[in-house]
Amino acid sequence: MKTNLMKKLTVTALAMGMLAGCGQSDGANSGNTGGTGRHFTVGVAQLVDHTSLNTIRDAMFDEFEELGYKDGDNFTIDYQNAAGQISNLDTIMNGYASEGVDAIVAIATPTAQTAQNYSTDIPVIFSAVSDPVGAGLVETLEAPGGNITGTSDEVQVDQIADLIKEICPEAKTIGMLYNAGEANSVTNTTNFKKYAESLGYTVEEATGTDLTTLQQAADVLASKVDVMFSPNDNTVASGMTALSQIALDHKVPYFVGADSMVQDGGFATVGIDYEQLGRETAKMVVDVLNGEKAGEIPVKVFKDDLNVYVNEKALKDLGIELPAEVKNNDKLIMVAEKTDDQTEGETAE
């Protein structure tokens, strides 16, 4: 990805960076952005560093610049990372409110739920929220209401279960690994279990709240199931390299909810391109800055014309031969193992 993070991101430490009580300077409203005559400041908050969320962030910043919104020139991005601590999110949002940002971009469901508390005065555009209605963020996808909208990475669990059946036709048990504290994960695993059981699978569940407990749960789960599945769960994604190795050690194919999780070691998925999700989020932000009401912009859900992603190394290590219907699928993308010199969020090709 072409973004130079050192150039584009100014990450202010939480101890100093909430900017509480610091309003915009008089110069903040000078300049010319998008023909509006205003210099906009946008708060971009991210729950945690992992490949999926970083890909969204980087693509969004690239798209801003391509649309003429250049950070540090005619546009200001106040990027904050909660370092995986949900308790930090309210501090970050309070800082944005004190700063008087023109919009808040909230990456991931917990971030969006916290940002919603500030949406009365500041428009919120979320990204990577699997179930915006179930998370209580919007009234409907078509008419969000309030002062909030965004993009959804709703996992197409039926298509992933169908892919399991195609690639692993002898499998009878599926183990689901997730953090039950993440609303997005609960929705996806509930839907996955219902559909998988309709196909005749027995579904085992295991949960954890951090990498340590997830590793312990994964080791037990992988010892008694034929395949594993995790949705686009932030806690799982943050530890994907270690968790996918546990599955490989048990010779268990590990299907996941996002292409970036395949890049980090997961076996396969059917899903969206997270770069596209980030770019679409940036376009929605610009629409809001140019006067559109957030609550009147439909949530963008990516669910059609999806790609099939398969990790080349995991495929080789598991000794699996892809069936012809998968191998010949023109939407198949083989993901190479990430090398040591690749930056996080950069796709191996």
Side-chain angles (χ1 to χ4, degrees):
M1 209 169 258
K2 67 183 181 182
T3 305
N4 184 332
L5 291 181
M6 292 300 292
K7 176 182 178 184
K8 290 195 173 186
L9 300 183
T10 302
V11 183
T12 309
L14 283 170
M16 300 175 61
M18 300 306 103
L19 297 178
C22 299
Q24 290 180 336
S25 66
D26 292 340
N29 290 321
S30 63
N32 185 0
T33 299
T36 64
R38 288 192 59 192
H39 182 120
F40 293 109
T41 297
V42 173
V44 178
Q46 182 173 326
L47 174 63
V48 66
D49 272 315
H50 64 67
T51 303
S52 298
L53 303 188
N54 292 351
T55 297
I56 293 167
R57 177 198 66 200
D58 295 350
M60 184 168 58
F61 291 169
D62 283 346
E63 186 68 17
F64 280 143
E65 186 159 336
E66 290 184 18
L67 292 172
Y69 293 73
K70 187 174 182 180
D71 184 30
D73 184 0
N74 57 356
F75 181 60
T76 297
I77 296 172
D78 184 351
Y79 170 74
Q80 302 285 344
N81 191 309
Q85 300 299 314
I86 291 179
S87 59
N88 288 336
L89 291 173
D90 191 64
T91 306
I92 291 171
M93 298 305 162
N94 187 57
Y96 289 154
S98 298
E99 185 181 356
V101 298
D102 297 291
I104 294 173
V105 181
I107 304 177
T109 301
T111 316
Q113 289 174 317
T114 304
Q116 185 183 30
N117 297 327
Y118 295 81
S119 65
T120 301
D121 300 315
I122 307 171
V124 172
I125 302 88
F126 56 76
S127 189
V129 173
S130 298
D131 184 9
V133 176
L137 296 172
V138 301
E139 295 174 9
T140 68
L141 297 177
E142 297 77 16
N147 198 20
I148 188 168
T149 190
T151 56
S152 172
D153 60 344
E154 176 187 336
V155 180
Q156 303 305 308
V157 294
D158 53 343
Q159 295 186 47
I160 296 175
D162 289 340
L163 183 66
I164 292 174
K165 201 168 190 66
E166 283 185 305
I167 297 179
C168 306
E170 303 301 319
K172 300 186 185 307
T173 58
I174 300 176
M176 294 195 307
L177 181 68
Y178 64 103
N179 179 357
E182 293 192 29
N184 50 305
S185 298
V186 173
T187 297
N188 285 319
T189 52
T190 298
N191 293 338
F192 180 87
K193 183 177 181 180
K194 181 178 179 180
Y195 185 76
E197 288 179 342
S198 76
L199 297 178
Y201 289 109
T202 297
V203 179
E204 299 272 352
E205 298 183 44
T207 64
T209 58
D210 54 29
L211 181 55
T212 299
T213 54
L214 282 171
Q215 285 178 300
Q216 293 168 348
D219 193 46
V220 174
L221 191 64
S223 68
K224 58 182 181 179
V225 298
D226 299 316
V227 301
M228 286 172 55
F229 166 72
S230 286
N232 44 1
D233 178 296
N234 291 297
T235 313
V236 172
S238 297
M240 196 66 221
T241 301
L243 296 172
S244 61
Q245 187 59 53
I246 291 172
L248 277 178
D249 290 343
H250 286 274
K251 297 297 181 182
V252 173
Y254 190 3
F255 291 79
V256 291
D259 63 322
S260 48
M261 294 170 76
V262 175
Q263 180 182 329
D264 287 342
F267 174 62
T269 193
V270 179
I272 66 174
D273 181 334
Y274 272 73
E275 181 172 349
Q276 293 180 7
L277 189 78
R279 289 184 177 276
E280 186 63 31
T281 305
K283 292 174 184 176
M284 297 177 83
V285 173
V286 170
D287 286 342
V288 170
L289 294 178
N290 285 325
E292 291 195 37
K293 295 182 179 179
E296 296 178 1
I297 302 174
V299 175
K300 174 71 173 179
V301 181
F302 292 75
K303 60 182 179 181
D304 300 316
D305 199 29
L306 301 177
N307 296 319
V308 175
Y309 298 90
V310 176
N311 185 300
E312 288 183 344
K313 181 179 184 300
L315 183 71
K316 179 181 177 181
D317 290 349
L318 291 167
I320 293 175
E321 177 71 24
L322 293 178
E325 54 268 37
V326 175
K327 188 182 297 184
N328 298 328
N329 187 335
D330 61 4
K331 302 296 291 183
L332 173 64
I333 296 177
M334 299 302 298
V335 179
E337 182 180 9
K338 186 190 294 184
T339 60
D340 292 338
D341 60 350
Q342 283 180 294
T343 58
E344 188 172 14
E346 181 182 356
T347 302
E349 295 181 354

